[in-house]
Amino acid sequence: MQKSRLVIALSAALVTASCASTQSTVAQSTTTHKAPTPATLKADPLASAEGVAELTLEQIMADPDWMGRFPENAFWSLDGQDILFYQKREGSEVRDLMIIKGGQSEPQAVPLSEQHLYIADEKESSVAGDWLAYTYKGNVFVRFGNGEVKQLTRDSERQHNLQAMADGSLSYQQGQQFFRIDVRSGLSQQMADIQFADEPQANEAPADYIAKEEQNLIQFVQKERKNRAEQFEYQQQLQQQNDTLAPQAFYLDKRMQWVDGRLSPNGRYLLVAMSEPQSWRDDGDIMPNYITEDGRIEPEKVRRRVADAKPQQHQLVLLDLQKHTQTSLTYNTLDGWNEDVLAAVKAENAKAEGQSYESKNEPRAIQLMADWGWENGAIQWNEEGSEVAVMLEAWDNKERWIATVDFGAKQLEQQDRLHDDAWINYTHNEFGWVDEDTLWFMSEADGYSHLYARDLDQQTTQLTEGQYVVETPTLSADSSQLYFQANQPHPGIYEIYRVAVDGSSEPEQLTDLGGMTGYELSPTSERLLLTYSTPLMPPELYVKNADATDEAQRLTHTVSEKFLSIDWTAPEIVPIASSHVDEPIYTRVYKPEGFDAERAEEYPAVVFIHGAGYLQNAHMGWSGYFREFMFHSFLNKQGYVVADLDYRGSKGYGRDWRTAIYRQMGTPEVEDLVDVTDWLQTNVNVDGERMGTYGGSYGGFLTFMALFKEPGLFQAGSALRPVTDWAHYNTGYTSNILNLPQDDAIAYRRSSPIYYADGLEDALLINSPMVDDNVFFQDSVRLVQRLIELKKTDWETAIYPVEPHGFRQPESWLNEYRRIYKLFEENLQQD
């Protein structure tokens, strides 16, 4: 592909221009749908952030306040007139709510007494559009079209799960009860009460022989039972015939517990998901905390390991609130509901143990698709309440279904099935209703995350297509357009687009800024609130009309003069050819100032390996690894070339790139590391005998795998908060990629560094936080013991007693990176 050969470079003049300019504009490219030159951001420095900083480890690892306190989690006010964001308070972890009134004034703090007028934890518009209901701190508010705000609840209970009802009222959930409230009068009516218990009876049946005889012989006992039966019958009739009373409770299987539920807008049905109780941990899942306020060791509770995971099944129950009936919805109408999708994997593992495996079809554990931040969750009714859609996933991670409910037949009706031999992505699963009989949804069916529309007459239309990834879709206020973020111009450049839901037009590009652009659509869909950044410029806020012609106007100026005063290295994004797949390995390359490709003395190099696995870092926006970005500029000043690659498994490159690591974590990624190091030696005058690597979490895991499986590839490596044995990691992440240890021990042994520790020949530094409830400290402890038993010597450890997975103390950051730098200086620099 042509774009695979594209090299995008940010000019170092970007920062110089930022310091010198007093304008706040974004220069836009006139070329659409091609790889544009990255925009030049002209920033106004903060007058309050005076000073010039020196590029030192002490400065880089200091409290990030010195860089500026950038806008976080920006959003529109409820009426779409104002813009709000959170800003860290200087020297504190408190975030203040800031407001830009009218979308053009200077930001100012919102008084605590007024925050309920702006913050909506959950919101829901009426069908007629004459009010907007929302929750703030668990209480319900409603904002009318004239701007009046009315508080509907004020108590210590938590109201949530708002639903606009077809008759103009509002429903909400409190505990396991559902209420309908008239937003104008405030009259509240209980719609449903869910109890996981046996249905109450007037009298219990005799439990044994003695009880039976007592009830037959003693007249007093018979009279008491008769009185109770009559009173019970009277109360039942009263509740059925008097509409002023709360409805009868629904009694569901007492062995189950609540998972989720959604009331239909017409008030007729409640669809409930429930499951058997299951603890998130076992008694032995603890982590000792050695530094506590009372000086004692505190055993903190932590999550279960994937090796101890148990399948989880959700049962769907349709409650008819009018007829007071309940119907369990089975999954046998879904294609593949009972397939043995792991048959080949189980057979391979059985053979390795000298056994055989006989495949058979039996019901799979199926549950609601995990909600990774969707606005409306996995159960969604259309506006009228005539249809409901659910998104379901198999617990084995190989299947995702969208289904509606046939109310007449009382069964699920499949609307879409997505199968993946590896695993269904745990992101890119948003869906919702366009109108009463049309759904929109996201899918990786063609290999990339794209948008689709489906009417209930079995017609599916693909709305976007191509070798790019669609993110964060939002349906417009009139339901005619889907707005979204995508990396269509280049894998590392994200712009904003929209597409007609009826498929009548091609996607329209609305921004052309050339970096990383996120968005929030205004309530009327007329304007876009943008969060924009480049590799050298942290995120700032911009606003523009929701069309392609309007230019974005900058709203915030939060980057400090100290940050702008430093001559940061502008990375290039290079598509490095892979020797294993057709697509390139996109890599940020940082070159020292005055780099000379023909210099007689070759350069030492450091390769950074990003964490999370499924994450993109070789993009044209501000990196979440901002300390590492600054450290790379520091290394450049010391004469190092630095590379930062998006290895296979990374986000932003489609399904095949994502799933290349299935059942073999650490194999494709190390192959990509080999290709990148070969490219550095061939193209950037790097000395192959003076190369180091480092990374944290998944990056720490890959540091181990590179050093253990490819000795000599790097002369030194530092693994930070590293995974050493995937059987000890969590279920939600690991079981996707490696299945379960009891089903696929081969994949776990193939993918865990502890099994390859004998390959260590180069210098290794292990940096481990001790109160890490994500990657346990035990991971490092077990590997250290293994290295001792293998009689390895060229390694050392650094422990951080008070740090979790993400360090919090500047002193810890500084200590860690001093050690990393020392490791590179001692092993990669010439004497």
Side-chain angles (χ1 to χ4, degrees):
M1 288 192 311
Q2 184 176 1
K3 73 176 183 179
S4 297
R5 297 192 296 270
L6 176 66
V7 177
I8 292 185
L10 275 179
S11 170
L14 178 62
V15 171
T16 305
S18 298
C19 295
S21 172
T22 57
Q23 302 299 314
S24 58
T25 61
V26 176
Q28 299 200 21
S29 170
T30 59
T31 303
T32 306
H33 300 297
K34 294 182 180 179
T37 301
T40 299
L41 182 63
K42 299 179 180 179
D44 291 336
L46 285 177
S48 61
E50 297 176 355
V52 175
E54 182 181 355
L55 187 55
T56 64
L57 288 178
E58 288 78 3
Q59 183 67 73
I60 292 170
M61 302 302 162
D63 188 314
D65 282 359
W66 76 270
M67 302 163 57
R69 292 169 291 116
F70 318 129
E72 302 173 6
N73 302 319
F75 60 97
W76 290 96
S77 61
L78 299 175
D79 60 5
Q81 298 301 308
D82 306 318
I83 290 170
L84 297 106
F85 64 93
Y86 289 94
Q87 186 173 40
K88 183 179 179 296
R89 190 178 295 176
E90 188 169 6
S92 171
E93 290 302 312
V94 173
R95 263 66 177 172
D96 291 312
L97 180 64
M98 309 295 292
I99 187 169
I100 303 175
K101 296 203 174 225
Q104 56 187 6
S105 64
E106 288 297 315
Q108 54 185 295
V110 175
L112 295 179
S113 61
E114 298 179 9
Q115 288 199 0
H116 66 282
L117 300 175
Y118 299 102
I119 299 175
D121 300 319
E122 181 183 346
K123 56 187 176 182
E124 177 83 357
S125 295
S126 68
V127 175
D130 56 344
W131 52 256
L132 174 72
Y134 63 98
T135 58
Y136 171 72
K137 301 295 185 182
N139 287 309
V140 181
F141 295 77
V142 62
R143 189 184 193 281
F144 298 101
N146 62 3
E148 176 193 358
V149 175
K150 183 177 182 179
Q151 185 169 2
L152 300 180
T153 65
R154 186 179 183 182
D155 53 45
S156 59
E157 300 293 334
R158 176 179 176 266
Q159 290 88 37
H160 65 108
N161 207 351
L162 302 182
Q163 175 69 66
M165 305 298 284
D167 64 358
S169 63
L170 172 74
S171 76
Y172 62 84
Q173 180 181 351
Q174 181 174 302
Q176 292 170 188
Q177 297 177 326
F178 286 77
F179 297 86
R180 171 189 275 168
I181 188 169
D182 186 309
V183 298
R184 288 179 169 80
S185 70
L187 177 64
S188 180
Q189 171 190 353
Q190 187 181 90
M191 298 290 292
D193 179 16
I194 311 303
Q195 302 286 334
F196 291 95
D198 291 331
E199 188 168 357
Q201 304 291 328
N203 293 296
E204 293 184 1
D208 53 25
Y209 171 82
I210 292 178
K212 182 177 179 181
E213 292 303 302
E214 190 79 355
Q215 293 172 21
N216 288 333
L217 288 171
I218 307 301
Q219 293 183 2
F220 173 76
V221 173
Q222 295 169 7
K223 182 178 179 180
E224 289 292 297
R225 289 175 64 84
K226 177 177 179 293
N227 289 340
R228 283 199 299 271
E230 291 174 347
Q231 286 289 342
F232 184 83
E233 179 66 20
Y234 173 77
Q235 290 298 328
Q236 294 287 99
Q237 294 175 355
L238 177 64
Q239 195 165 36
Q240 292 172 4
Q241 299 176 29
N242 192 317
D243 292 338
T244 67
L245 300 179
Q248 291 177 294
F250 282 90
Y251 292 92
L252 305 184
D253 191 337
K254 66 181 180 181
R255 298 167 298 177
M256 309 292 275
Q257 66 181 10
W258 177 271
V259 174
D260 197 2
R262 194 80 172 167
L263 184 68
S264 66
N266 58 18
R268 173 68 186 272
Y269 296 106
L270 176 62
L271 185 60
V272 173
M274 58 186 187
S275 71
E276 293 182 0
Q278 187 179 114
S279 173
W280 62 280
R281 60 179 300 276
D282 293 323
D283 291 340
D285 295 326
I286 59 172
M287 174 181 66
N289 186 350
Y290 291 94
I291 308 297
T292 61
E293 293 184 8
D294 63 5
R296 271 74 173 179
I297 298 174
E298 181 178 340
E300 296 186 3
K301 297 179 180 179
V302 291
R303 48 90 182 151
R304 174 181 286 124
R305 293 158 173 79
V306 64
D308 300 323
K310 301 175 180 65
Q312 188 167 12
Q313 166 101 354
H314 292 169
Q315 181 179 338
L316 294 179
V317 180
L318 182 65
L319 306 180
D320 188 325
L321 305 189
Q322 289 183 8
K323 298 181 178 179
H324 200 77
T325 60
Q326 54 181 279
T327 304
S328 292
L329 302 176
T330 61
Y331 298 127
N332 58 8
T333 57
L334 303 177
D335 294 342
W337 69 282
N338 64 344
E339 288 183 9
D340 186 5
V341 294
L342 284 171
V345 168
K346 292 177 179 178
E348 179 188 350
N349 277 269
K351 183 178 180 180
E353 298 293 330
Q355 302 172 0
S356 61
Y357 174 76
E358 181 179 349
S359 176
K360 59 181 178 179
N361 289 346
E362 55 186 14
R364 298 158 73 181
I366 295 174
Q367 58 188 8
L368 292 180
M369 190 78 188
D371 184 342
W372 289 74
W374 319 340
E375 186 174 346
N376 294 316
I379 303 175
Q380 296 193 35
W381 291 89
N382 67 6
E383 203 170 69
E384 295 80 12
S386 59
E387 298 283 355
V388 65
V390 294
M391 182 172 281
L392 301 163
E393 64 176 334
W395 198 75
D396 55 42
N397 311 304
K398 303 294 187 290
E399 222 84 38
R400 187 272 289 147
W401 299 271
I402 299 175
T404 52
V405 175
D406 183 331
F407 298 108
K410 297 292 192 298
Q411 65 182 20
L412 294 175
E413 184 175 353
Q414 180 175 299
Q415 298 296 333
D416 186 75
R417 177 193 183 189
L418 180 64
H419 173 83
D420 198 309
D421 289 339
W423 76 93
I424 298 295
N425 203 343
Y426 50 81
T427 63
H428 306 131
N429 294 303
E430 291 89 334
F431 78 113
W433 289 95
V434 177
D435 53 39
E436 63 181 10
D437 58 6
T438 305
L439 287 161
W440 70 267
F441 62 93
M442 301 184 75
S443 175
E444 283 188 325
D446 74 349
Y448 289 83
S449 167
H450 282 298
L451 293 169
Y452 296 78
R454 177 177 177 81
D455 62 47
L456 301 190
D457 294 326
Q458 313 301 310
Q459 179 67 37
T460 299
T461 303
Q462 185 166 353
L463 304 177
T464 62
E465 60 180 325
Q467 291 183 311
Y468 61 91
V469 173
V470 168
E471 304 262 8
T472 61
T474 304
L475 188 66
S476 64
D478 63 3
S479 298
S480 66
Q481 304 271 347
L482 277 165
Y483 288 75
F484 59 93
Q485 178 193 44
N487 58 352
Q488 183 176 0
H490 177 275
I493 296 175
Y494 284 79
E495 304 288 359
I496 310 305
Y497 302 80
R498 66 182 173 192
V499 66
V501 179
D502 62 7
S504 60
S505 63
E506 293 295 315
E508 178 186 12
Q509 185 171 340
L510 303 178
T511 65
D512 196 6
L513 305 182
M516 179 68 74
T517 307
Y519 80 102
E520 288 289 326
L521 185 64
S522 69
T524 61
S525 303
E526 294 176 342
R527 293 195 293 170
L528 294 170
L529 171 58
L530 306 175
T531 302
Y532 171 71
S533 69
T534 70
L536 301 187
M537 184 59 64
E540 297 283 11
L541 299 183
Y542 296 77
V543 67
K544 73 183 297 289
N545 292 328
D547 60 59
T549 60
D550 187 49
E551 291 193 1
Q553 302 299 313
R554 184 169 177 177
L555 299 175
T556 59
H557 304 81
T558 59
V559 182
S560 73
E561 288 184 12
K562 283 187 176 182
F563 179 84
L564 296 172
S565 71
I566 295 178
D567 183 18
W568 303 109
T569 302
E572 301 173 359
I573 296 184
V574 181
I576 294 175
S578 168
S579 59
H580 298 274
V581 294
D582 293 336
E583 296 302 309
I585 309 158
Y586 284 92
T587 304
R588 280 189 177 190
V589 178
Y590 299 76
K591 298 176 183 176
E593 185 177 356
F595 171 77
D596 182 1
E598 305 299 326
R599 194 178 76 171
E601 181 187 346
E602 295 175 315
Y603 291 87
V606 169
V607 177
F608 171 65
I609 310 174
H610 71 69
Y614 191 57
L615 177 145
Q616 185 176 9
N617 203 45
H619 54 68
M620 296 297 287
W622 181 249
S623 173
Y625 291 99
F626 61 89
R627 292 182 181 87
E628 288 77 0
F629 155 73
M630 294 188 286
F631 182 53
H632 297 162
S633 283
F634 172 81
L635 289 174
N636 286 158
K637 300 296 184 186
Q638 318 308 316
Y640 292 86
V641 171
V642 181
D644 171 1
L645 73 158
D646 280 340
Y647 47 80
R648 275 175 285 171
S650 296
K651 188 177 183 180
Y653 304 94
R655 181 266 173 196
D656 291 349
W657 197 263
R658 171 177 66 83
T659 61
I661 61 174
Y662 178 57
R663 300 189 67 218
Q664 55 173 358
M665 296 166 79
T667 296
E669 307 97 303
V670 172
E671 292 172 349
D672 294 344
L673 285 167
V674 172
D675 283 339
V676 168
T677 58
D678 287 345
W679 184 90
L680 291 172
Q681 295 173 67
T682 303
N683 296 275
V684 199
N685 200 20
V686 162
D687 185 348
E689 298 299 318
R690 293 193 294 149
M691 301 181 69
T693 189
Y694 81 106
S697 194
Y698 198 96
F701 149 71
L702 286 181
T703 298
F704 283 142
M705 293 297 267
L707 266 60
F708 295 171
K709 296 182 68 177
E710 291 286 342
L713 179 65
F714 298 106
Q715 286 66 57
S718 181
L720 292 57
R721 48 194 182 278
V723 174
T724 67
D725 188 340
W726 286 107
H728 289 255
Y729 199 55
N730 67 39
T731 304
Y733 181 88
T734 319
S735 65
N736 283 298
I737 308 171
L738 300 180
N739 302 311
L740 294 176
Q742 55 265 38
D743 294 330
D744 203 356
I746 289 174
Y748 280 79
R749 296 187 186 111
R750 181 188 292 147
S751 302
S752 297
I754 198 166
Y755 295 100
Y756 299 94
D758 191 41
L760 179 64
E761 297 178 4
D762 305 290
L764 170 64
L765 169 63
I766 305 170
N767 295 356
S768 296
M770 294 183 68
V771 286
D772 188 340
D773 61 0
N774 182 10
V775 178
F776 298 152
F777 181 59
Q778 184 186 14
D779 264 61
S780 293
V781 171
R782 293 179 67 240
L783 182 65
V784 164
Q785 179 61 27
R786 183 73 179 131
L787 293 174
I788 291 171
E789 292 172 354
L790 291 169
K791 300 181 176 62
K792 299 293 181 179
T793 57
D794 196 8
W795 58 274
E796 59 181 12
T797 60
I799 62 172
Y800 297 89
V802 303
E803 296 297 353
H805 195 64
F807 282 16
R808 297 174 299 183
Q809 307 299 314
E811 297 83 2
S812 299
W813 282 108
L814 178 58
N815 181 279
E816 180 175 57
Y817 276 78
R818 277 176 169 170
R819 291 174 181 272
I820 296 170
Y821 179 54
K822 179 183 178 184
L823 176 76
F824 294 153
E825 286 288 279
E826 291 179 345
N827 291 278
L828 308 183
Q829 292 287 18
Q830 292 181 339
D831 296 334

